């Protein structure tokens, strides 16, 4: 069936007419809380646009089994305390059947106790490995983890003969978790961290930290961060005349980063989902058609695509497919079907979940990219 092959939602929803369509059928309530404003808005904005766009597509074709999909969304302003407030509202007042949201790791982790108590499936759109390790029964996530990003970066560094690096990170949940994972993994790749600097989310100049790094024998710099911080670090690196390779995490996988960093972004490497280089993939790649369909639909309406909107697409599709398979709005049955997700071709990769893996992505889902001439290229 088209839906289960993750192709166009139009064909998909038509093919879902398994149940009886009635005007009285209860809506499928999908809740979301996102950083539509605030420091992480460049992640949350495409996530909300994606959710709205695909919910509209589903409903325009009659919904799922005769049920319309109702999206209930709140803007957290990139504040974890607001995420908790809105998650409680979604669970207790709105009584949603599932939640797809949580732009940042901090907001996702903050709501997990309420998710556990309410026993409602939650699919996070954030990067920290702490969201799914240890496995939480009701929580899943779509983006590659910070641990995977560190491993991908260290693999690339090792191939380039880099053995000493400087680490610099922001103070958000994703940033701190990325720092921890980098510190833990570096020895496994024969890499020594010779400098370890940090910056705050409101900082506008990191030259002090980078000046310290410049005095070390680091052969590369790795920055884990979200928002404007990574772009400032990138500009400051170039302004200080530092020439060693600069790596960023998948937290900057948006054209917004290139716009903010400008020419300083040239040569920056980062691991990211294949969505950014969809046209460059071979036709035999199982993701290519899914990526192009999403990219073309999004860009026709909203402009340049980012991997963050792609994560929202993946999360919504995984939940709707689970509801379709469950043929029920019972939260426990939906959760069980999400956990059984196998072979789902999304924008982030091919997902194969299980009771012990609530992400379901392998390292092959990551591409190492380099920014050249203001665009993404695949590192061969």
């Amino acid at each position: 069936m088209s839906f289960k092959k993750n192709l166009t939602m139009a064909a998909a929803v038509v093919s879902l007419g398994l149940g009886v369509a009635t005007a009285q059928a209860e809506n499928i309530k999908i809740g979301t809380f996102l950083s539509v404003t605030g420091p992480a808005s460049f992640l949350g904005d495409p996530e909300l646009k994606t959710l709205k766009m695909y919910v509209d597509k589903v409903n325009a074709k009659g919904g799922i089994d005769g049920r319309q999909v109702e999206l209930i969304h709140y803007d957290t302003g990139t504040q974890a305390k607001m995420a908790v407030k809105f998650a409680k509202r979604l669970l207790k007042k709105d009584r949603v059947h599932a939640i797809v949201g949580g732009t940042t790791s901090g907001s996702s982790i903050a709501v997990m106790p309420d998710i556990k108590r309410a026993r409602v499936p939650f699919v996070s759109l954030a990067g920290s490995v702490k969201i799914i390790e240890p496995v939480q029964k009701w929580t899943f996530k779509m983006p590659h983890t910070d641990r995977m990003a560190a491993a991908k970066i260290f693999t690339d560094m090792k191939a380039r003969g880099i053995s000493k690096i400087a680490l610099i990170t922001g103070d958000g949940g994703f940033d701190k978790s990325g720092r921890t994972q980098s510190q833990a993994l570096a020895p496994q790749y024969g890499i020594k961290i010779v400098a370890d600097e940090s910056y705050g989310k409101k900082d506008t100049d990191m030259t002090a930290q980078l000046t310290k790094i410049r005095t070390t024998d680091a052969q590369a710099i790795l920055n884990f961060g979200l928002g404007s911080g990574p772009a400032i670090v990138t500009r400051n690196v170039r302004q200080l005349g530092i020439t060693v390779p600069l790596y960023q995490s998948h937290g900057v996988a948006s054209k917004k980063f290139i716009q903010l960093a400008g020419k300083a972004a040239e040569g920056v490497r980062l691991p990211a989902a294949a969505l950014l280089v969809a046209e460059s993939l071979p036709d035999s790649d199982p993701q290519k058609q899914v990526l192009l369909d999403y990219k073309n639909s999004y860009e026709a309406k909203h402009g340049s695509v980012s991997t963050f909107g792609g994560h929202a697409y993946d999360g919504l599709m995984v939940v709707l497919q689970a509801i379709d398979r469950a043929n029920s709005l019972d939260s426990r049955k939906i959760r069980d079907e999400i956990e059984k997700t196998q072979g789902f071709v999304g924008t982030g990769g091919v997902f194969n979940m299980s009771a012990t893996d609530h992400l379901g992505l392998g390292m092959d889902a990551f591409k190492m990219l380099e920014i050249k001439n203001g665009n993404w290229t695949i590192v061969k």
Side-chain angles (χ1 to χ4, degrees):
M1 298 170 67
S2 297
F3 187 82
K4 291 170 182 173
K5 290 180 179 176
N6 316 310
L7 299 181
T8 65
M9 284 303 301
V13 177
V14 169
S15 72
L16 288 174
L18 305 178
V20 178
T22 67
Q24 292 75 33
E26 180 183 1
N27 284 351
I28 297 168
K29 292 184 178 180
I30 304 296
T32 189
F33 56 94
L34 299 168
S35 302
V36 181
T37 60
S41 61
F42 75 97
L43 290 76
D45 178 69
E47 290 169 351
L48 180 58
K49 287 174 177 172
T50 296
L51 291 177
K52 285 182 174 179
M53 186 168 68
Y54 279 91
V55 165
D56 287 346
K57 283 176 179 273
V58 171
N59 289 334
K61 294 297 180 181
I64 296 177
D65 295 349
R67 300 180 187 274
Q68 291 285 289
V69 179
E70 180 181 353
L71 181 68
I72 303 171
H73 63 88
Y74 298 105
D75 176 13
T76 69
T78 319
Q79 298 181 57
K81 64 180 181 182
M82 297 304 292
V84 173
K85 173 184 174 181
F86 291 136
K88 289 179 185 291
R89 185 181 298 179
L90 289 168
L91 295 166
K92 295 179 179 178
K93 182 180 178 183
D94 301 319
R95 303 188 69 80
V96 297
H97 299 109
I99 295 177
V100 179
T103 301
T104 66
S105 296
S107 63
S108 293
I109 292 170
V111 308
M112 285 166 61
D114 289 300
I115 294 291
K116 181 179 179 180
R117 281 191 289 271
R119 299 184 178 182
V120 170
F122 169 45
V123 178
S124 169
L125 306 180
S128 173
V129 72
K130 293 179 180 178
I131 297 167
I132 52 163
E133 289 189 15
V135 172
Q136 302 294 316
K137 183 172 182 178
W138 295 91
T139 298
F140 303 82
K141 91 180 199 77
M142 291 292 105
H144 318 78
T145 69
D146 43 16
R147 183 185 300 164
M148 295 169 69
K152 190 74 175 181
I153 289 168
F154 290 153
T155 299
D156 190 71
M157 287 179 171
K158 192 173 181 179
R160 300 172 84 180
I162 295 169
S163 60
K164 296 179 181 179
I165 70 162
L167 186 61
I168 182 167
T169 50
D171 62 357
F174 171 76
D175 317 41
K176 292 178 179 177
S177 182
R179 173 178 178 266
T180 300
Q181 298 305 320
S182 297
Q183 291 172 324
L185 280 179
Q188 298 179 27
Y189 291 82
I191 291 174
K192 182 179 180 181
I193 298 175
V194 298
D196 186 6
E197 298 289 336
S198 63
Y199 55 86
K201 65 181 66 175
K202 294 182 179 179
D203 290 355
T204 57
D205 188 309
M206 286 66 144
T207 54
Q209 297 94 321
L210 293 167
T211 298
K212 292 181 183 176
I213 288 173
R214 190 169 57 177
T215 65
T216 71
D217 58 351
Q219 298 167 301
I221 298 173
L222 169 56
N223 175 214
F224 256 98
L226 294 174
S228 60
I232 296 171
V233 168
T234 301
R235 292 200 304 268
N236 289 164
V237 164
R238 305 310 183 208
Q239 289 163 356
L240 290 172
I242 298 173
T243 57
V244 299
L246 174 59
Y247 287 82
Q248 298 281 356
S249 74
H250 54 322
V252 307
S254 162
K255 269 291 181 67
K256 186 71 174 179
F257 167 73
I258 298 178
Q259 293 167 2
L260 290 173
K263 291 184 179 179
E266 291 295 304
V268 169
R269 288 192 178 188
L270 68 150
L275 177 60
L276 299 182
V277 289
E279 292 87 351
S280 302
L281 298 177
D283 292 341
S284 59
D285 191 299
Q287 278 188 271
K288 185 166 186 175
Q289 193 57 53
V290 174
L291 296 172
L292 291 176
D293 286 346
Y294 171 74
K295 184 174 186 289
N296 293 336
S297 293
Y298 186 91
E299 292 189 342
K301 195 169 184 179
H302 299 299
S304 294
V305 76
S306 79
T307 60
F308 309 109
H311 298 321
Y313 168 87
D314 292 347
L316 180 65
M317 294 302 107
V318 163
V319 168
L320 293 184
Q321 285 195 5
I323 292 172
D324 180 40
R325 291 195 301 270
N327 199 23
S328 168
L329 294 183
D330 181 275
S331 293
R332 184 175 294 277
K333 292 180 179 177
I334 296 170
R335 190 218 75 88
D336 290 349
E337 289 299 330
I338 293 174
E339 195 172 76
K340 294 176 185 174
T341 296
Q342 289 287 306
F344 168 70
V345 183
T347 68
V350 180
F351 292 78
N352 293 291
M353 295 186 181
S354 69
T356 58
D357 184 356
H358 280 193
L359 169 62
L361 287 178
M363 287 298 291
D364 58 344
F366 249 157
K367 305 293 183 186
M368 178 55 69
L369 306 184
E370 182 172 316
I371 298 171
K372 291 183 177 178
N373 299 318
N375 210 344
W376 316 103
T377 62
I378 301 175
V379 175
K380 302 296 183 182

